[in-house]
Amino acid sequence: MSKGINKVIIVGYLGKDPEIRQTQNGVNVASFSVATNESWTDKESVKHEETEWHRVVAWQKLAEICGQYLTKGKQVYIEGKLKTRSWEDKDGIKRYTTEIVAKDMQMLGASGGGGGH
């Protein structure tokens, strides 16, 4: 039996500037949200648009690059994998979140300026 594939590629726009922090071991982590849009026209010729928000986490050198170059509104290509993690909130309730762990990032668009990792 072959192993599974966990790969995600999105192209969207940053919802806000990345939040940069360091773990207790001094490892850089960047967290940010990316919006992707989908639009379609239904049978009655009515246009619809839907926005999906994605949580993205980048680690180490890629986190530094994201913190240095990404800002709210920039178009970005993100490639990585999905990861779900859990924690207990202050009321003892178990919470879950699914996020994209970025392996590659490319800045896109006229204001993106190229570059990337």
Side-chain angles (χ1 to χ4, degrees):
M1 183 149 183
S2 66
K3 62 181 181 175
I5 296 172
N6 183 354
K7 185 171 186 172
V8 176
I9 296 173
I10 60 170
V11 175
Y13 294 88
L14 260 72
K16 61 181 180 177
D17 292 353
E19 295 176 17
I20 309 300
R21 63 180 179 83
Q22 285 190 334
T23 66
Q24 291 177 340
N25 297 335
V27 177
N28 290 320
V29 183
S31 301
F32 52 96
S33 58
V34 176
T36 56
N37 298 309
E38 181 181 2
S39 58
W40 69 95
T41 305
D42 65 19
K43 294 179 201 173
E44 289 78 37
S45 298
V46 176
K47 276 198 151 187
H48 299 273
E49 187 168 327
E50 190 173 272
T51 301
E52 185 75 34
W53 287 95
H54 310 274
R55 295 174 50 91
V56 181
V57 176
W59 293 87
Q60 299 175 337
K61 184 66 176 170
L62 184 55
E64 290 177 42
I65 293 168
C66 290
Q68 194 171 10
Y69 294 105
L70 296 182
T71 56
K72 179 181 178 178
K74 290 222 181 199
Q75 188 179 34
V76 67
Y77 165 98
I78 300 290
E79 185 174 326
K81 66 179 182 178
L82 286 180
K83 182 152 181 117
T84 300
R85 59 186 173 87
S86 64
W87 72 95
E88 278 192 20
D89 69 10
K90 61 180 172 25
D91 299 323
I93 299 171
K94 195 162 194 175
R95 302 286 183 179
Y96 297 88
T97 189
T98 299
E99 54 202 8
I100 298 169
V101 178
K103 297 277 191 230
D104 189 22
M105 179 276 295
Q106 298 283 324
M107 292 175 283
L108 304 174
S111 63
H117 180 267

